[in-house]
Amino acid sequence: MSSPDLTQAEREAVLAVLNTPNLSMGQEILDFERAICEYTGAKHALGVNSGTAGLHLCVHAAGIREGDWVLTTPFSFVASTNVILFERATPIFLDVDPLTGNMDVTCLREAVHDLLEGGSAARRWLPRQGLKGDGVQRDAPRLKAILPVDVFGQPADLDPILDVAQAHHLKVIEDSCEAIGATYKQRPAGRLGDYGVFAFYPNKQMTVGEGGVIVTDDDEAANIMRALRNQGRAPGDTWLQHTHLGYNYRLDEMSAALGRVQLSRLDELLEKRAQVARWYEERLAEIPGVEIPVVVPETTRMSWFVYVIRLSGVDRDQVSKELKTRGIPNRPYFIPIHLQPYVASQFGYREGDYPVTEDLGRRGLAIPFSGVMPEGDVDRVCEAIREILSKQV
Ligand SMILES: *Cc1c(COP(=O)(O)O)cnc(C)c1O
């Protein structure tokens, strides 16, 4: 489905670390974090050992606790919801924009209005069951934060999201795990809310193996997240003193070294991916039954993560199978989070609850995509799609 884009420079950087005794908590992580700050303009960058770990620390830093509500979307990779569940908070799902798959901001405005009003207005947005801490008297409102996802490398519509957040004192955690380098109205994705997270799994635009990074301008949040990343050690704690209940979410030195080289090549990596996306677009745009990805005007730079087409008038799963028979890997994208078994059973979600998400989930097919994909391979994939569809449509 994908392939990392690595050169001799990456291999040498990792090898150089292996020729020292410092494999964790050394100079490489500091250098990588400084480079991320320079690239994004963030005051703080914290390397972590996965994007999920980064999002989890942000949820904690945002003060989200048991029984709190966080507005997010079910059209995403499961991690964006899991990190809310880790803290026993409740994800309140909003349906998505049919063009981008990102948070529908009209839904957001209505939901915030209704949730703050309470009663039956609020119930329309809440899950059927599984709310924690109900009946507990509280001083603080339950609605704490918004967690928008920049789906497939296209930033969510952050201006209206930030307006709502500001008006109601909600934190914004931007899941930019699929969107490093993207811009929204010329502003960098991941830098628009209170916290942003980028992920570096091998299929992402740049990789460190396993890892991610948090960016924020919030000093206090950065301090607590640094402590929690490092087994709860606060500044001044010794190796075996732990002020907080923490985690081991550290990024090792080999990964940081790899990340620094990848980051120095990021603009090149993104341009190569954009070229492959253009090749796909040229070939797929004219095939009946295929809808190609839409880049909206607010997205002043798309950071291509995956290439997901939508099929209409044909059986997506049948097309998927036939492509596999021809040796072309592909994947449905996404299976909606509210229908994942553990989420559906905890909260009582059913098919039909989020129609746009479900429609996109039924029709979306990710096809092979990476910055090192040769034009001939794009030809082969597109020819196969054309042939299979010509029989089906
Ligand atoms: C990749 C990704 C993550 C984090 O993934 P990790 O594998 O934990 O690094 C989180 N959210 C979204 C939307 C992602 O695509």
Side-chain angles (χ1 to χ4, degrees):
M1 283 297 290
S2 72
S3 178
D5 182 333
L6 302 172
T7 64
Q8 195 56 23
E10 279 87 343
R11 288 184 274 274
E12 278 168 14
V14 174
L15 197 57
V17 174
L18 292 176
N19 285 322
T20 75
N22 302 318
L23 306 188
S24 187
M25 302 176 80
Q27 191 59 39
E28 292 294 338
I29 180 77
L30 299 174
D31 290 348
F32 180 48
E33 289 176 343
R34 183 159 1 90
I36 291 278
C37 286
E38 278 164 22
Y39 187 86
T40 60
K43 192 165 174 198
H44 304 280
L46 286 84
V48 283
N49 54 21
S50 72
T52 307
L55 288 167
H56 183 196
L57 293 183
C58 294
V59 165
H60 197 289
I64 294 159
R65 301 290 179 263
E66 177 159 4
D68 288 339
W69 297 342
V70 180
L71 290 157
T72 190
T73 49
F75 190 68
S76 176
F77 182 66
V78 289
S80 57
T81 286
N82 286 350
V83 295
I84 300 167
L85 298 175
F86 292 165
E87 294 298 325
R88 299 175 192 278
T90 301
I92 309 261
F93 291 127
L94 302 173
D95 215 343
V96 295
D97 178 286
L99 282 184
T100 61
N102 286 331
M103 183 175 283
D104 180 330
V105 293
T106 307
C107 271
L108 172 69
R109 289 195 196 92
E110 278 178 45
V112 169
H113 173 271
D114 291 351
L115 289 168
L116 295 176
E117 191 172 290
S120 62
R123 266 197 296 282
R124 167 159 105 85
W125 300 94
L126 297 174
R128 290 187 182 83
Q129 64 183 51
L131 281 174
K132 299 249 187 231
D134 254 12
V136 176
Q137 206 54 42
R138 300 181 134 227
D139 312 327
R142 290 174 194 279
L143 186 57
K144 284 283 174 64
I146 309 173
L147 195 158
V149 183
D150 301 332
V151 168
F152 304 154
Q154 173 146 251
D157 193 2
L158 261 299
D159 274 343
I161 293 172
L162 293 172
D163 284 346
V164 170
Q166 201 161 29
H168 302 287
H169 308 288
L170 305 173
K171 294 285 186 192
V172 175
I173 301 167
E174 200 182 349
D175 181 347
S176 299
C177 288
E178 302 188 351
I180 192 164
T183 61
Y184 169 80
K185 302 181 186 174
Q186 310 290 355
R187 287 132 66 201
R191 293 285 299 129
L192 301 163
D194 297 280
Y195 327 94
V197 179
F198 304 113
F200 304 132
Y201 183 74
N203 73 340
K204 308 277 176 174
Q205 293 89 329
M206 59 169 271
T207 187
V208 304
E210 293 282 3
V213 71
I214 304 164
V215 288
T216 184
D217 290 346
D218 182 333
D219 299 335
E220 201 182 321
N223 284 339
I224 186 73
M225 292 193 288
R226 272 201 191 93
L228 297 188
R229 166 181 74 172
N230 184 25
Q231 302 282 19
R233 296 180 185 103
D237 280 356
T238 64
W239 187 249
L240 295 176
Q241 280 181 316
H242 308 269
T243 298
H244 310 282
L245 168 64
Y247 306 90
N248 180 354
Y249 281 169
R250 295 184 304 256
L251 185 70
D252 66 64
E253 291 288 284
M254 291 76 76
S255 302
L258 175 50
R260 197 163 41 75
V261 180
Q262 287 266 286
L263 183 65
S264 73
R265 297 180 54 223
L266 183 59
D267 289 320
E268 172 206 337
L269 297 177
L270 294 181
E271 182 40 48
K272 286 162 89 176
R273 297 173 85 91
Q275 175 61 256
V276 176
R278 282 194 293 274
W279 288 335
Y280 265 131
E281 177 170 351
E282 287 161 16
R283 289 157 179 78
L284 294 174
E286 300 308 319
I287 302 181
V290 176
E291 293 168 25
I292 58 171
V294 174
V295 177
V296 296
E298 290 79 7
T299 303
T300 40
R301 186 192 203 185
M302 179 76 181
S303 172
W304 290 92
F305 165 50
V306 282
Y307 200 87
V308 179
I309 57 173
R310 292 180 193 147
L311 301 175
S312 52
V314 293
D315 180 348
R316 190 268 319 264
D317 294 337
Q318 187 59 33
V319 173
S320 166
K321 228 192 275 167
E322 289 191 35
L323 280 169
K324 278 188 187 147
T325 306
R326 292 166 191 241
I328 295 171
N330 62 87
R331 199 167 282 163
Y333 245 81
F334 291 107
I335 297 173
I337 296 175
H338 66 284
L339 299 179
Q340 299 287 352
Y342 65 102
V343 179
S345 70
Q346 179 174 349
F347 296 108
Y349 288 120
R350 306 176 194 139
E351 222 160 300
D353 284 344
Y354 297 94
V356 180
T357 294
E358 291 168 28
D359 177 62
L360 299 184
R362 264 192 298 271
R363 299 199 293 117
L365 193 69
I367 54 181
F369 183 73
S370 79
V372 295
M373 193 170 170
E375 192 170 7
D377 285 7
V378 174
D379 278 331
R380 219 163 54 80
V381 173
C382 296
E383 257 330 291
I385 292 173
R386 181 193 299 280
E387 267 180 48
I388 293 166
L389 289 198
S390 70
K391 283 183 276 159
Q392 281 219 9
V393 178

